[in-house]
Amino acid sequence: MTYVAKRLLAMIPILLGLTVIVFLMMALIPGDPATAILGSYATPDNVERLNRQLGLDRPLHEQYLIWLGNILEGDFGRSYSLNRPVADEVLERFSATLLLAGAALLLCSVFGLLAGTLSAVRQFGWTDRIVTLLVLIGISMPSFWLGLLMILLFAVTLQWLPASGMVAIYGGGGPLDILTHLVLPAFTLAVVATGVIARLTRASMLEVLRQDYIRTARAKGLPERRVIWRHAFKAALVTVIPVIGIQAGFVLGGAVYIETVFQWPGVGAMLVKAISTRDLLLVQGGVLVVAASYVLFNLAADLLQAALDPRLKG
């Protein structure tokens, strides 16, 4: 509990730093938000009145403190392009993004760990060469381009899977319908992370397999499967888990453009529209939630790593 408390306290300055970065990132963008919101009604009087209503006529530090105080109270403001609370819109969209990122993280973790382990066990064999080749291809391939190829092959040519959306337009919404729409974007999003996890797993397993206690376990006559999965894999997992936490953040961030390719109704698609309409509060709320989720993923990975290796708590 002491270790968990220390890690939670260490998150406070990180989250505060995130709020500063997110606020400045949007506040310093060239252009006048009031003019973009008013459009054809952007007369000087109307722009000045709207800036006063939004608090944009105040000094930058005052705007930040007001925005931060509202966030601490759970008020992310109101979206001007959607005319609804930002918190409601972000949370509704974030559930779809979390489903996509969670499925992609599950795929890349399972396939990455399995591929890396098999590659290390069969070092310099055909399995190792094939896995290494596939990993290099996956890491080198842009995700958005792979997504377009997936749509062309499985949705247009073979017509096995839907090309876009989260549910069917007519008569959809069931678990099976969501699952069929999830396959292509989740697989596309998981490819690069799978390659990264597989490469690190292979390197960690090779290092562990050279240790004395592994040779001792084999000398005692333990089954090879037990030596690999019970002893070597568990030891290698301590090194791999932090990387899985980092990849969780990249998967969550990568969902932004993958959602655009597949028209997935998540935070990424919402941010693209909000940026085009200069809806600053909506952009700030969406980016802040995604960034905070990245921090929480890394915290979970650290706690899991410490549970597997108690020496790290010191």
Side-chain angles (χ1 to χ4, degrees):
M1 294 301 296
T2 303
Y3 177 77
V4 173
K6 289 180 179 179
R7 297 294 294 119
L8 290 175
L9 288 175
M11 285 183 57
I12 296 177
I14 296 175
L15 293 175
L16 285 176
L18 280 176
T19 61
V20 174
I21 293 173
V22 171
F23 178 81
L24 292 178
M25 180 178 62
M26 295 306 302
L28 299 179
I29 291 179
D32 184 11
T35 302
I37 294 172
L38 291 172
S40 59
Y41 298 96
T43 62
D45 293 338
N46 289 338
V47 170
E48 182 181 356
R49 187 182 303 111
L50 184 58
N51 279 328
R52 188 166 52 252
Q53 293 175 358
L54 300 178
L56 298 177
D57 57 337
R58 300 185 180 185
L60 199 59
H61 68 278
E62 290 186 14
Q63 295 181 37
Y64 168 73
L65 292 176
I66 294 173
W67 178 69
L68 180 60
N70 292 335
I71 286 178
L72 293 177
E73 295 176 357
D75 181 13
F76 283 72
R78 192 173 188 84
S79 168
Y80 305 106
S81 60
L82 301 175
N83 194 26
R84 65 175 304 194
V86 170
D88 294 345
E89 179 69 15
V90 170
L91 292 178
E92 181 180 317
R93 294 294 194 114
F94 188 68
S95 61
T97 297
L98 198 60
L99 175 62
L100 174 59
L105 184 62
L106 178 63
L107 289 175
C108 70
S109 299
V110 172
F111 287 113
L113 291 171
L114 182 61
T117 303
L118 293 177
S119 180
V121 172
R122 300 285 189 265
Q123 187 182 15
F124 304 129
W126 284 106
T127 302
D128 186 19
R129 295 177 183 178
I130 293 173
V131 169
T132 302
L133 177 63
L134 293 177
V135 165
L136 290 176
I137 293 175
I139 293 177
S140 305
M141 190 175 297
S143 296
F144 64 89
W145 183 72
L146 178 61
L148 295 176
L149 290 182
M150 293 292 103
I151 292 175
L152 181 62
L153 176 60
F154 292 103
V156 178
T157 305
L158 298 177
Q159 297 184 356
W160 289 354
L161 296 167
S164 62
M166 185 175 174
V167 295
I169 299 177
Y170 301 106
L176 183 60
D177 183 36
I178 296 176
L179 182 61
T180 55
H181 283 79
L182 182 63
V183 172
L184 289 183
F187 177 80
T188 303
L189 189 56
V191 167
V192 175
T194 300
V196 174
I197 295 172
R199 291 188 65 179
L200 183 65
T201 303
R202 179 183 183 274
S204 300
M205 283 292 295
L206 288 176
E207 183 179 354
V208 171
L209 289 173
R210 298 189 185 101
Q211 300 298 317
D212 292 337
Y213 72 91
I214 296 296
R215 286 195 289 267
T216 302
R218 286 170 171 165
K220 288 181 178 180
L222 291 179
E224 184 67 15
R225 180 176 299 179
R226 185 175 180 182
V227 172
I228 297 299
W229 297 105
R230 181 83 178 269
H231 298 282
F233 179 73
K234 183 178 179 180
L237 199 59
V238 175
T239 306
V240 178
I241 283 178
V243 178
I244 294 179
I246 294 174
Q247 293 305 310
F250 285 122
V251 166
L252 196 61
V256 172
Y257 51 86
I258 293 299
E259 287 178 0
T260 304
V261 173
F262 289 94
Q263 293 300 302
W264 188 266
V267 174
M270 179 202 74
L271 287 176
V272 172
K273 295 180 181 178
I275 291 173
S276 64
T277 58
R278 295 279 298 177
D279 197 336
L280 296 185
L281 290 177
L282 187 58
V283 176
Q284 288 173 337
V287 173
L288 185 61
V289 168
V290 172
S293 301
Y294 180 37
V295 175
L296 293 175
F297 275 131
N298 280 274
L299 173 64
D302 289 345
L303 296 179
L304 182 57
Q305 185 186 25
L308 291 174
D309 189 357
R311 295 173 300 176
L312 298 174
K313 297 178 183 179

